[in-house]
Amino acid sequence: MFGRRRKDRGSNIEATDAASAGDLGAYDEPADEEYDEYATGSAADSGPYDIDEVDEETVTASRLDLGSVLVPLPAGGQIQVEMAPNGTPQNVHLVTQFGRITVSAYAAPKSPGQWREVAAELAETLRNDKAEVSIESGPWGRELHGRTANADLRFIGVDGFRWMIRCVVAAPSGNAGADSELVGIARSVISGTVVRRGSEPHPVRTPLPIVLPEALTRQLVAAQEQQQQAAAQQQQQAAAQQQGAAPAQPAPRTAPPEQPAQQKRQVPPARQTPPRRGESGSAMQQLGF
């Protein structure tokens, strides 16, 4: 199932994903040592894998197919979808009892080294946010461990051929250490991950598109509709309560006939507080899968 398939690499291909579609064709067969540099794992039997290395029908049946990346689901895990402002899926998180795991694929050059650069930038960002940061060694090389008073983060990266995997492990404080249950699960997920890079040109570091499975999309739409219905009900209830609490407006006074007409005092209408808007739906829709 995971037998490697050799490819042909042309010598005239630019080492950037910003190249034209015509430059993204076949490439020459590299030596084993060169191929191993593209980080399909520290051991020969370890992933993550390129889609061309596996039987696609088999891995699709046994993994969550997100278009650009196919990930195995941890036992007892749930799926959490993070939507971008434009309504497209931005991240898919695997939620376990120990914390959250997020595996994403990015466009990368044909030579390894992007993760080293990304890790250095992430470390600087975490330090600027007052987090305690350490660089540790893991199965695929360097791992970034950030610690704050409230949470722990671990970033694991793997360089592939024209793609890079970045896994983010998020947990309560003290639960993302190298020997923790959550990190062990995350490494297992990465090892079984398959990347479907595609032949389309993408600028380096661009997230590869996420496409939700049809079943998951239906669940997400159903959850959003339920939230919208709940929000509408909350608005109706709030409006009814406000109307019931508003004091009755007194009838205007009429001057007695025998007295000069008096100027009517304008009674301002009771100010009605606008009904509180219900939540429009969190961008994070947690779904059981």
Side-chain angles (χ1 to χ4, degrees):
M1 180 174 67
F2 293 106
R4 299 189 189 279
R5 300 177 184 175
R6 298 303 183 186
K7 308 176 185 178
D8 297 325
R9 183 178 349 185
S11 59
N12 61 342
I13 297 178
E14 298 292 335
T16 173
D17 280 354
S20 64
D23 291 333
L24 301 177
Y27 54 93
D28 295 332
E29 175 179 336
D32 289 344
E33 295 79 10
E34 183 182 0
Y35 188 84
D36 289 340
E37 285 184 357
Y38 297 123
T40 52
S42 58
D45 295 332
S46 176
Y49 302 92
D50 191 278
I51 193 67
D52 289 337
E53 299 177 293
V54 302
D55 181 80
E56 184 169 356
E57 183 176 353
T58 301
V59 299
T60 301
S62 60
R63 286 162 175 75
L64 175 64
D65 188 348
L66 299 175
S68 57
V69 64
L70 295 83
V71 295
L73 294 176
Q78 290 185 318
I79 299 172
Q80 198 175 61
V81 180
E82 179 182 350
M83 305 300 291
N86 62 1
T88 60
Q90 181 169 304
N91 284 301
V92 176
H93 310 289
L94 308 180
V95 182
T96 75
Q97 60 177 320
F98 306 106
R100 195 176 71 182
I101 301 167
T102 309
V103 178
S104 305
Y106 293 80
K110 298 175 178 65
S111 56
Q114 178 166 294
W115 169 241
R116 177 183 292 269
E117 299 174 0
V118 171
E121 295 171 4
L122 286 171
E124 182 179 0
T125 299
L126 290 171
R127 292 188 181 103
N128 291 338
D129 291 338
K130 310 303 180 184
E132 182 182 349
V133 180
S134 60
I135 306 296
E136 302 174 4
S137 179
W140 296 276
R142 64 182 55 204
E143 297 181 0
L144 191 64
H145 188 194
R147 297 173 295 279
T148 67
N150 300 320
D152 275 20
L153 292 173
R154 179 174 290 268
F155 296 87
I156 305 172
V158 184
D159 286 317
F161 184 78
R162 297 177 58 238
W163 51 259
M164 183 196 79
I165 285 289
R166 189 189 74 174
C167 176
V168 183
V169 181
S173 181
N175 287 276
D179 298 327
S180 66
E181 292 280 352
L182 182 60
V183 171
I185 295 173
R187 289 171 176 167
S188 178
V189 169
I190 296 171
S191 183
T193 292
V194 177
V195 179
R196 187 189 284 117
R197 167 62 177 79
S199 59
E200 298 82 4
H202 294 282
V204 297
R205 301 197 183 192
T206 301
L208 297 181
I210 294 175
V211 180
L212 298 180
E214 183 178 350
L216 184 57
T217 300
R218 288 198 300 266
Q219 293 184 48
L220 185 63
V221 170
Q224 291 174 335
E225 290 177 350
Q226 291 177 357
Q227 287 189 341
Q228 291 172 356
Q229 292 174 359
Q233 291 177 357
Q234 289 179 357
Q235 291 180 7
Q236 293 175 358
Q237 293 173 358
Q241 291 174 356
Q242 291 295 334
Q243 291 175 359
Q249 183 174 335
R253 295 179 181 178
T254 304
E258 67 274 13
Q259 294 181 359
Q262 298 178 358
Q263 184 178 5
K264 295 181 181 180
R265 186 175 62 182
Q266 298 295 325
V267 180
R271 182 174 299 175
Q272 189 172 16
T273 303
R276 291 181 301 174
R277 309 186 78 137
E279 293 183 357
S280 60
S282 170
M284 308 288 287
Q285 308 291 344
Q286 184 164 334
L287 307 173
F289 188 83

